[in-house]
Amino acid sequence: MGVRHLLIEYEYCNGVLLNQYLAGGDEDILRRIWKACEMTAANSQENYDFFKRVYAYNLTLPEDAKLHISAIDLQHQFQTGLYYLTQLLPGSTPPETMAEDRESIHFYVENKPEGGFRAFIPALWERIQANEDAYLGYLGEENVFPEFMRALHSIYTAYEYYETGDEKIREQYITDTCVDSLEAYPNEKAYGAIGYFHANMIGMEDDMPVLANHLQHDYEKTAGKVTTIAGAYAGCELMYPMGEAVPLEDTILYASEIAAAMPSDNMLCSLVGDGSPYLGDDFRTLKRQQYFVLMRDSKACTLYAPEDGE
């Protein structure tokens, strides 16, 4: 009851655009986001329809109770991120040091740059860092410039992540952005939906800064108050980027065996109750998650199907 903020593992700029859609109902925003999600696991009709349902639900609520998206992931889809940057650029003529950057950002919203985005993004980042005063004067210090740099940082950090393959880069960004979101709405409830990896409360090897571990042990406002619930899948399917359905492997050890004994699907099951196979010293699962939700025989999502003419 009273949840207003959906903390989700979506890209930062996508989250801002989704909030624009929720505010006004312009479905072209959704279409733009989903067009850029082709060949990814996010490109499902169910994901698309979910946000349409959130919009419809918000229409039934007073302004101070409407749901708000807080997207905490890197900007994996570069073109969508650049599109959001164009919204922040004023229509007036920029200083000479910015003119080429402004033109390139607008052009590459619809066109892939020669050499790919992995050549364009770091060059853009370096030029803007070098001309920060010009951008500050052009965009305005009070709110637009900080938001422009926040969005650009999400894009550039995604570039770093893909260049190095270092999971620490992404996990640190997700952790920092989640905390920033919690700080922005200190007296309001949030519901978080994140992947299994990020909900690991014991962290990983090599001092990986895992989100749930940080919230449970290091972030003062939530320390000692975190409970994680994992999904356990028995006989379920996963949609691959081309739309094909493949079997989904269990993320919880013994999930299939436990599922066979459950009287119904979608049950919240404790990993620590009497008779639990996880009570022995050999099971680190208890320190990662304390509960799981059983999902049985769930079919894969369906590929997003744009309407005719889109």
Side-chain angles (χ1 to χ4, degrees), residues 26-36 38 43 45 48-49 52 110 303-310:
D26 182 0
E27 204 166 333
D28 283 344
I29 296 173
L30 287 187
R31 296 188 187 105
R32 175 177 288 277
I33 293 172
W34 259 257
K35 181 180 178 181
E38 292 177 355
N43 188 33
Q45 189 66 46
Y48 186 93
D49 292 342
K52 292 180 66 174
E110 305 294 346
L303 199 63
Y304 166 63
E307 297 177 5
D308 292 342
E310 291 182 22

Side-chain angles (χ1 to χ4, degrees), residues 25-129:
D26 182 0
E27 204 166 333
D28 283 344
I29 296 173
L30 287 187
R31 296 188 187 105
R32 175 177 288 277
I33 293 172
W34 259 257
K35 181 180 178 181
C37 287
E38 292 177 355
M39 300 301 296
T40 74
N43 188 33
S44 75
Q45 189 66 46
E46 287 80 358
N47 277 346
Y48 186 93
D49 292 342
F50 168 76
F51 289 104
K52 292 180 66 174
R53 292 198 301 274
V54 173
Y55 171 72
Y57 176 66
N58 268 356
L59 292 178
T60 70
L61 301 174
E63 198 63 36
D64 61 355
K66 294 183 185 297
L67 294 176
H68 173 270
I69 304 296
S70 292
I72 62 174
D73 204 354
L74 302 169
Q75 187 58 39
H76 300 282
Q77 305 300 328
F78 294 139
Q79 282 181 299
T80 307
L82 293 176
Y83 170 73
Y84 177 52
L85 292 186
T86 65
Q87 293 190 347
L88 299 172
L89 291 171
S92 57
T93 302
E96 184 176 349
T97 53
M98 293 175 52
E100 182 179 348
D101 290 340
R102 187 179 189 278
E103 182 178 341
S104 296
I105 291 170
H106 277 277
F107 181 77
Y108 291 137
V109 166
E110 305 294 346
N111 303 275
K112 188 173 182 179
E114 182 178 352
F117 284 102
R118 291 184 181 180
F120 172 68
I121 295 300
L124 176 67
W125 174 260
E126 290 173 7
R127 287 196 301 271
I128 291 178
Q129 292 283 341

